[in-house]
Amino acid sequence: MKKYAVVGTGHRARFFYQSVASTYKESCEIVAFCDLSATRMNYANKLLVELGVKAVPTYHFSDFEKMIKETKPDAVIVTTVDRTHDWYIIKAMELGCDVITEKPMTIDEDKAQSILDAQKKYGKDLRVTFNYRYAPHNSKVRELIMGGEIGEVFSVHFEWLLDIKHGADYYRRWHRNKHNSGGLLVHKSTHHFDLVNFWLGDAPKKVFAMGDLRFYGMKNAERRGVTDFYYRAHENEAAKKDPFAIELAAEEDLKALYLDAEADSGYIRDRSVFSDDVAIEDVMGVLVRYNQGAILSYSLNTYLPWEGFNVVFNGSKGRMELKVVEKSYVSGEGSMSHYGETDKQELWVFPMFEPPHMVEIIKRPGGHGGGDPALLNDIFGTPEPDPLARAASHIDGAMSILTGVAANKSIATGMPVDIAGLVKF
C-alpha cells in the first residue's frame, strides 16, 4: 500500500485525493492533509468519508515536517499556492519523500534552480502532472509528428482562448498577483508551453514577448461600464449588477472550500475583477525559437466568447491544424460558447501533394477526453507502455515554466531572453 500526504486542500487537490480514495484505494491511501485552514481540511475529510474511506490526520502548514515524520508518506502531493511549491517540494525530498506536484512546478528561475539542485542532492522522484499531454487529441498530434506525417516542423502558431467565465476567475483569485502565480504566462501557459515541448520533442532557446492589461483591472472598468466598485462579491449589492462577479454561497464546493474557510485562511476568493490591485496581463503574445530551429508564435487572451485553442503546425511535408472547444470548469456551468457545443476536437492534416483528411480522435470516459484517468493511472495505478513518453519529470516541469519566465522578463525589459541563462541543469 503506497501512502500519500496532501499539502494544500483547495479545489485542485480533489483531483488527486478523491481518485486515490476511490479508483486506487486497493493499492494507495491518503494518510494526512496539510493546509492553513482546518475548515478546508475537515471538508476534505468529509469527502473521503463519503467515499467510504476513514478520515485522516490534519496538520497546519507550520507542522509540515511533523506530518511527514508522524505519518511517513511515500510521496507528497503538492497543490498549494504556486509561489510555495518549491518549499514543500524541496522539504519533502529532504525528508525522504517522492513528490507529485500540480503545474506549474514553480514560478521563477531561482525557485526552479533550487528544486533542480535538491532533486540532484536527494535523488527523489519529482512528477509534474501535465494532464493535457494525455488528452487524446494532444497525444494524437505527438504521434503524428513523431511519425513524420508533416515532415520536419518549421513553425507553430498556437492561440489559447479563455472565456469570460473561466478567464475572469483568475482575476478574482490569488492568481491576480504575479508574486503568487508568476502571471498567466507561468500559471496557465505552463500547460501550453509544455505541450509544444512535448509535441516537438524539443526545448525553447530564445523568447520575446509582449503583454498588457487591457480588459480587467480598475483602469479598464469605465470602458466595461463598471461604475460601482466593490471589494468582494458576497452579500454585496453592487456585485449583483456585475456579470463578472461570482457568488460563493451558490455552490456547495465553493462555499465549503473558500467562503466557510475565510475565518481560518484569510483568503477572499470572490474579489472584483476590476480592482486596482489586479497585477497580471490579460492579453499576451510570445515568440519562441526552439533548439532544433522551429519557431512558435503564441497568444493568450482571457476575456473571449468561447474557450479552447487553435494550433497549426507547418512542416516540410504539409500542415496540420487542431481546433479544440473546451468546457469551462468554473461553477460547473460550462463554456458560454457561440459554437453551441463544448468538448469538441477537430484535427486535419494537409499533405503537400495529396488531398487533406480529418484524423479520427477516439475519446474515452473522463476529463479531457479520457486524458485525466490516463494520467491518474500513470501516477497511482500500473502505467501502461507509452511510446509517446507522456509522463513529465522535473526537467519537463522546469522547461515548461522557463518559456513563461523568459516571457515575463521580455515584457518587463522589451528585450529577447535566452533560456540558457536562466537555470543550469
Side-chain angles (χ1 to χ4, degrees):
M1 185 73 74
K2 193 163 185 178
K3 300 190 295 184
Y4 296 88
V6 180
V7 55
T9 56
H11 184 270
R12 290 189 290 176
R14 292 183 57 182
F15 178 73
F16 300 103
Y17 70 72
Q18 287 186 300
S19 179
V20 169
S22 55
T23 306
Y24 300 101
K25 63 183 178 182
E26 299 303 320
S27 58
C28 304
E29 65 175 331
I30 302 296
V31 296
F33 288 128
C34 183
D35 200 293
L36 179 66
S37 167
T39 303
R40 202 150 45 219
M41 290 188 286
N42 291 339
Y43 183 66
N45 265 326
K46 172 180 176 290
L47 296 179
L48 288 186
V49 171
E50 289 175 355
L51 289 169
V53 176
K54 66 179 181 180
V56 300
T58 59
Y59 296 81
H60 188 268
F61 278 159
S62 59
D63 292 324
F64 180 74
E65 294 184 51
K66 178 182 177 183
M67 174 192 72
I68 290 180
K69 291 175 182 176
E70 290 185 351
T71 63
K72 297 178 172 59
D74 299 297
V76 174
I77 300 171
V78 178
T79 50
T80 58
V81 172
D82 296 349
R83 66 175 167 80
T84 65
H85 284 185
D86 63 309
W87 192 90
Y88 293 107
I89 290 170
I90 292 169
K91 181 58 66 173
M93 290 193 292
E94 178 188 328
L95 295 172
C97 300
D98 292 328
V99 180
I100 298 162
T101 182
E102 245 286 357
K103 62 82 192 167
M105 186 177 79
T106 188
I107 64 169
D108 62 39
E109 71 274 27
D110 293 334
K111 292 175 184 289
Q113 188 68 67
S114 296
I115 291 171
L116 294 171
D117 292 345
Q119 196 282 326
K120 286 181 182 179
K121 180 177 180 179
Y122 300 113
K124 305 307 295 184
D125 183 62
L126 172 55
R127 178 72 178 271
V128 184
T129 54
F130 286 119
N131 53 354
Y132 271 116
R133 289 184 173 206
Y134 293 80
H137 49 279
N138 294 329
S139 296
K140 179 60 71 172
V141 168
R142 169 68 171 153
E143 177 187 325
L144 293 175
I145 290 176
M146 286 178 64
E149 186 77 11
I150 59 170
E152 182 182 358
V153 177
F154 297 146
S155 68
V156 181
H157 178 65
F158 192 179
E159 61 167 348
W160 200 284
L161 302 79
L162 292 172
D163 69 14
I164 51 176
K165 180 177 290 290
H166 186 186
D169 210 42
Y170 291 108
Y171 302 85
R172 303 182 188 112
R173 300 183 284 170
W174 53 263
H175 308 74
R176 64 203 261 143
N177 189 314
K178 278 194 177 182
H179 172 68
N180 288 326
S181 66
L184 292 184
L185 285 171
V186 173
H187 174 81
K188 183 63 180 174
S189 299
T190 185
H191 261 320
H192 315 153
F193 297 139
D194 176 71
L195 279 177
V196 180
N197 296 348
F198 168 67
W199 284 329
L200 298 182
D202 202 356
K205 180 179 181 180
K206 186 184 289 286
V207 177
F208 179 74
M210 295 183 183
D212 205 349
L213 182 64
R214 300 295 302 276
F215 189 92
Y216 302 106
M218 183 170 284
K219 70 176 185 178
N220 299 307
E222 185 175 352
R223 74 172 76 175
R224 301 277 81 80
V226 178
T227 56
D228 293 326
F229 292 96
Y230 58 91
Y231 173 70
R232 52 107 36 105
H234 182 61
E235 296 183 341
N236 192 305
E237 288 300 317
K240 293 178 181 179
K241 304 173 185 177
D242 182 3
F244 295 94
I246 189 171
E247 178 48 70
L248 298 178
E251 184 174 331
E252 178 186 353
D253 285 345
L254 292 177
K255 180 177 183 297
L257 288 172
Y258 303 110
L259 187 61
D260 294 348
E262 287 178 2
D264 57 11
S265 72
Y267 174 48
I268 305 298
R269 171 69 173 75
D270 60 344
R271 302 282 301 280
S272 167
V273 302
F274 298 108
S275 298
D276 61 355
D277 61 342
V278 172
I280 59 174
E281 298 85 7
D282 54 26
V283 54
M284 292 144 274
V286 184
L287 285 174
V288 185
R289 167 78 76 178
Y290 284 79
N291 286 332
Q292 296 174 24
I295 297 171
L296 165 69
S297 55
Y298 168 85
S299 67
L300 174 64
N301 293 276
T302 63
Y303 46 83
L304 296 173
W306 64 276
E307 176 136 343
F309 66 93
N310 296 307
V311 60
V312 301
F313 304 84
N314 300 305
S316 59
K317 295 182 180 179
R319 175 180 170 96
M320 183 160 53
E321 301 180 357
L322 173 63
K323 183 183 189 70
V324 176
V325 180
E326 290 198 334
K327 182 177 182 179
S328 175
Y329 79 92
V330 181
S331 301
E333 296 175 6
S335 172
M336 294 186 283
S337 171
H338 69 251
Y339 283 99
E341 179 181 357
T342 57
D343 193 24
K344 172 185 176 182
Q345 304 91 35
E346 193 172 280
L347 178 60
W348 282 87
V349 172
F350 298 83
M352 193 78 76
F353 301 109
E354 298 174 18
H357 60 275
M358 182 184 288
V359 178
E360 182 182 11
I361 298 171
I362 300 175
K363 297 180 185 179
R364 294 176 177 83
H368 295 98
D372 289 357
L375 168 70
L376 291 166
N377 182 68
D378 247 12
I379 297 172
F380 302 119
T382 303
E384 299 177 359
D386 186 5
L388 303 180
R390 291 174 294 185
S393 69
H394 59 288
I395 301 297
D396 299 313
M399 293 312 304
S400 73
I401 69 160
L402 289 180
T403 301
V405 169
N408 280 333
K409 290 180 178 297
S410 182
I411 290 171
T413 65
M415 300 296 291
V417 176
D418 290 322
I419 295 292
L422 297 179
V423 300
K424 293 181 180 180
F425 289 93

